[in-house]
Amino acid sequence: MPHDLASRDHLYMARALQLARNGLYSTSPNPRVGCVMVRDGIVVGEGWHQRPGEPHAEVHALRMANEFADSAKGATAYVTLEPCAHFGKTPPCAQALIDAGVSRVVAAMQDPNPLVAGRGLAQLQAAGIATAVGVLEHEARELNIGFVSRMTRQRPWVRVKIAASLDGVSALNNGNSQWITHEAARRDGHHWRARACAMLTGMGTVRADNPQLTVREWPTNALRAGAPRQPLRVVLDARLEISPQARLFQDIAHGAPLLLATLDSTDEARECALKQAGAEVLRLPPDAQGKPDIAVLLSELAKRGVNELHVEGGAGLNGALLNAGLVDEWLIYLAPTLLGPGRGVLDRNPLTELQQRHDLRIVDLTKVGEDLRIVARPA
């Protein structure tokens, strides 16, 4: 057991983050939060937020402390996000900690939600409870990177998934792309789908692949949390060309909602038919190229509680997002194969100067089965 306070804080916060990761696939639109209660060097309570509308991590930890140690009085609470100080679907956790008589609260980070944003810590301090913030803050932010994005930028964290050969080909010239990567990489890709609140694709992908865009390989954590949650599926369809017979419509009745983002000038009769088939239609203003404005779409998705947006589209959509500066993260699977001439991963005008390039910073490099997975962000 570490003797100095900083080491103990680090140890228990690491455990709280481990607990918070149990909610990776189930808490949205809420943040993923874990809590550990420690009294006299003994962990007396643990908990994590499991699903929206249910008790927060602090409440679960307090309940365990009351059962295991009769009381949380005098304990230190380690929580990965500042305790909330407002009434939402559940009562404020800051007041619950005050009522329980904890002596100290250590938060990994301040809550970016304007409804909290320091108020929880201030409420604890006003009640005479010692507080500290910033222990393993980077790890806590990474865990809730989409929630932070929605709260601070009013748009989701946009993650673009690409599967390609080592020479950057995502499909043959005839459109054949199944399968460039191997089964392990495809299964891994479904885990990234599962953690997202919504998925985005374009009509080009719908025409070429007729996809389902559902999660079919569930991680253990998602199954442990109960009934798995299918992300909202979003299709950019400027003229509402999608057919009600597309596979995307088959899963609506099974809890996989479908949103069609189109131009505000689209034919109303076509919209009515697609609504009758179960889809929701969202009309958007045109951008400078006369296409549905993706920035407006992201803002609308944020209002609907979308923290992480997972994009699986073609070169056109990928290029449009890149040119608009809307890509926060690239999830790239590279298969150890060379395909020669074919379709690239980005549709954009050729560069004339190297200074025009988009430099990336690799944040993770992992071998997944036979393939290589790269997670990169704008440098």
Side-chain angles (χ1 to χ4, degrees):
M1 174 66 62
H3 294 291
D4 64 284
L5 183 61
S7 296
R8 290 200 302 271
D9 286 352
H10 189 283
L11 174 70
Y12 294 126
M13 189 61 75
R15 172 57 181 164
L17 283 164
Q18 184 180 27
L19 291 167
R21 291 187 186 96
N22 288 327
L24 187 64
Y25 307 100
S26 62
T27 64
S28 64
N30 293 352
R32 299 138 181 163
V33 183
C35 180
V36 175
M37 295 281 175
V38 180
R39 192 175 68 191
D40 300 326
I42 298 173
V43 175
V44 296
E46 293 185 339
W48 53 279
H49 183 46
Q50 299 175 18
R51 283 173 291 272
E54 296 189 4
H56 291 183
E58 297 94 324
V59 174
H60 284 297
L62 285 171
R63 287 176 179 173
M64 180 177 174
N66 290 333
E67 293 175 2
F68 174 72
D70 295 328
S71 171
K73 189 174 183 179
T76 295
Y78 293 89
V79 60
T80 58
L81 187 68
E82 175 188 4
C84 61
H86 68 289
F87 278 90
K89 293 183 178 179
T90 59
C93 292
Q95 188 61 51
L97 293 170
I98 293 170
D99 294 342
V102 302
S103 62
R104 183 169 177 254
V105 174
V106 181
M109 62 176 287
Q110 183 174 300
D111 193 334
N113 186 342
L115 294 175
V116 185
R119 292 181 179 87
L121 292 171
Q123 185 175 344
L124 293 166
Q125 293 162 3
I129 296 174
T131 64
V133 64
V135 179
L136 297 182
E137 180 173 359
H138 173 74
E139 291 81 353
R141 284 186 174 275
E142 285 293 310
L143 184 60
N144 284 307
I145 200 161
F147 180 76
V148 172
S149 175
R150 180 165 67 89
M151 290 296 156
T152 59
R153 303 188 298 174
Q154 290 74 54
R155 74 170 181 84
W157 180 263
V158 178
R159 180 180 295 117
V160 177
K161 181 248 183 180
I162 288 173
S165 62
L166 282 181
D167 51 348
V169 174
S170 62
L172 302 180
N173 280 325
N174 62 8
N176 188 358
S177 63
Q178 296 183 341
W179 299 100
I180 293 177
T181 55
H182 298 79
E183 182 179 353
R186 298 196 296 274
R187 186 165 56 248
D188 187 71
H190 274 259
H191 292 188
W192 289 87
R193 283 185 179 187
R195 67 173 284 170
C197 305
M199 298 181 57
L200 175 66
T201 194
M203 264 310 296
T205 298
V206 173
R207 280 192 293 265
D209 300 337
N210 195 19
Q212 289 176 267
L213 292 184
T214 54
V215 181
R216 297 181 294 280
E217 292 283 350
W218 290 101
T220 302
N221 285 7
L223 297 174
R224 188 189 308 155
R229 166 194 56 82
Q230 287 286 355
L232 168 68
R233 299 166 302 158
V234 184
V235 179
L236 274 172
D237 185 0
R239 292 179 292 275
L240 288 183
E241 298 174 285
I242 192 169
S243 166
Q245 280 69 53
R247 293 178 72 193
L248 285 163
F249 286 85
Q250 297 175 4
D251 294 290
I252 295 176
H254 301 103
L258 176 63
L259 175 66
L260 306 176
T262 188
L263 289 170
D264 52 16
S265 57
T266 310
D267 181 78
E268 290 186 7
R270 197 182 293 265
E271 176 183 345
C272 183
L274 294 170
K275 283 182 175 179
Q276 289 179 345
E280 180 185 358
V281 176
L282 174 65
R283 292 177 176 271
L284 299 172
D287 61 13
Q289 287 74 43
K291 298 179 180 180
D293 195 314
I294 300 178
V296 176
L297 172 62
L298 295 184
S299 177
E300 177 62 30
L301 292 177
K303 294 175 184 176
R304 295 171 180 232
V306 173
N307 294 330
E308 296 182 20
L309 178 65
H310 181 91
V311 182
E312 291 193 20
L317 179 56
N318 295 343
L321 287 166
L322 176 66
N323 291 335
L326 295 175
V327 181
D328 298 306
E329 190 168 81
W330 298 89
L331 175 65
I332 305 170
Y333 294 91
L334 292 179
T337 187
L338 302 172
L339 295 178
R343 300 184 181 181
V345 298
L346 289 172
D347 184 7
R348 56 173 310 193
N349 294 329
L351 304 183
T352 57
E353 300 288 343
L354 283 176
Q355 289 80 359
Q356 297 171 320
R357 67 191 180 190
H358 291 266
D359 289 330
L360 303 178
R361 173 176 58 90
I362 294 176
V363 297
D364 182 72
L365 186 62
T366 303
K367 194 167 185 285
V368 180
E370 297 298 313
D371 304 315
L372 193 64
R373 185 189 69 200
I374 301 171
V375 180
R377 297 174 183 172

